[in-house]
Amino acid sequence: MEYRQLGRSGLKISTITMGTMTFGGVGWAKTVGDLGADDARRLVDICIDAGVNLMDTADAYSQGVCEEIIGDIMDKPRRDKMMIATKARFAMGDGPNDAGLSRHHLIAACEASLKRLKTDVIDLYQVHEWDGLTPLEETMEALDTLVRHGKVRYVGCSNFSGWHIMKALGIAEREHRQRFVSQQIHYTLESRDAENELVPISIDQGLGILVWSPIAGGLLSGKHRRDRKAPEGTRQFAGWTEPPIRDEERLWTIIDTLVEIAGARGVSAAQVALAWTLGRKGVTSVIIGGRTEDQFRDNLASADLKLTDEERGRLDAVSQPWLQYPYWHQRNSASERLGEADLALIAPYLEGK
């Protein structure tokens, strides 16, 4: 297992992070999985044995049941080897202040997560989604308070846009608050939107990138193929809609290429998709999940899979999106003065310019 530094922090995390959304099975999360404590404990041990040192959860997963299961199974030997990241923002009750990124909700949510997780400190506390009604100054102050009080070690964000992140980092610098060390984003061969702003920001501002749903909810696992119905038991069979598919033909072309490369290498398509993401600029770790031991073991194997330049080139070619404005204009008019963060997006489009 390789370990990478998380943003500008001194923390090193495994390139594979253990996802836990399949724990619990309450409410909307039942579509993803409904594993109990015994299954969860066995999967945690498999990940620890493979060298994984971070697990990711959220209070909203199964309305807190997921965190409760983690609290029940993470005895001291396991906790000493595995850090815990969790998230807050979504509704955990029916009251007007039971959601969002207000000081009121964040501090209450953190204390509730600590209790469910049966731990004294959360290693990485992430705001789960943007809240346009709460001033960012209030959110950053609340996160800073949690760190200063020893309840949280590091803070990060998830599902923020580029300007949201830059505004938050600016406030943190101006007011001497704790700054985000990472962002958790969706970034796959099928969905490369993050390359426009979020990846360059991470490179320029020193943020680690954790990738959620790195095989697109199972779409890139190789189980889904052109002109076939979604296999029974998969998220898509149950009506899962993340990520949204805007170009179905492009998706099938990507999957065809994944399956071809995987077949030639004697590995799964999921491993190839994960290896591609792990090799992208700025990416620190991918969050893997699953319902079974086989799924976890297969995904864990991607940590050791190194794709060739030719394989990466094929995958890049079938998945490369259109270059949006103002980036196509920068490609045409500013290519001689682009920095490292700019080139993370624009470099592939410069060939043959």
Side-chain angles (χ1 to χ4, degrees), residues 53-126:
N53 72 349
L54 179 67
M55 68 162 51
D56 179 75
T57 186
D59 58 3
Y61 296 169
S62 290
Q63 284 295 293
V65 174
C66 180
E67 288 186 329
E68 289 175 356
I69 291 173
I70 292 170
D72 289 340
I73 65 176
M74 292 296 282
D75 55 13
K76 190 175 186 307
R78 292 185 178 91
R79 187 68 175 95
D80 287 345
K81 296 176 181 177
M82 183 83 83
M83 296 179 289
I84 297 175
T86 193
K87 303 182 285 291
R89 153 63 172 85
F90 293 114
M92 293 299 288
D94 298 326
N97 294 307
D98 290 339
L101 299 181
S102 67
R103 181 186 299 107
H104 176 97
H105 180 67
L106 274 181
I107 291 176
C110 181
E111 291 173 346
S113 286
L114 287 166
K115 184 176 180 180
R116 286 189 291 265
L117 291 165
K118 297 179 182 175
T119 188
D120 295 327
V121 63
I122 293 165
D123 298 287
L124 174 62
Y125 199 51
Q126 304 154 107

Side-chain angles (χ1 to χ4, degrees), residues 17 28 35 42 98 181 196 235 238 260 284-285 351:
T17 293
W28 60 264
L35 302 179
R42 186 167 59 254
D98 290 339
V181 299
N196 290 326
R235 295 186 198 182
E260 288 171 8
T284 311
S285 184
E351 296 180 11

Side-chain angles (χ1 to χ4, degrees), residues 5 39 108 121 142 160 173 213 226 231 249 269 276 293 307:
Q5 201 156 333
D39 289 327
V121 63
F160 273 33
E173 181 175 358
S213 197
R226 192 188 300 267
E249 180 58 31
W276 179 88
E293 289 186 32
L307 299 178

Side-chain angles (χ1 to χ4, degrees), residues 40 60 75 81 120 123 127 161 164 178 313 329 337:
D75 55 13
K81 296 176 181 177
D120 295 327
D123 298 287
V127 288
S161 70
H164 297 155
Q178 294 290 322
H329 199 278
R337 294 187 66 84

Side-chain angles (χ1 to χ4, degrees), residues 195 199-206 280-283 334-348 350:
E195 292 177 354
V199 173
I201 283 171
S202 291
I203 293 169
D204 184 69
Q205 296 296 311
R280 301 301 290 177
K281 271 188 178 264
V283 172
S335 60
E336 81 286 359
R337 294 187 66 84
L338 296 177
E340 180 186 4
D342 305 310
L343 291 170
L345 168 66
I346 299 175
L350 291 174

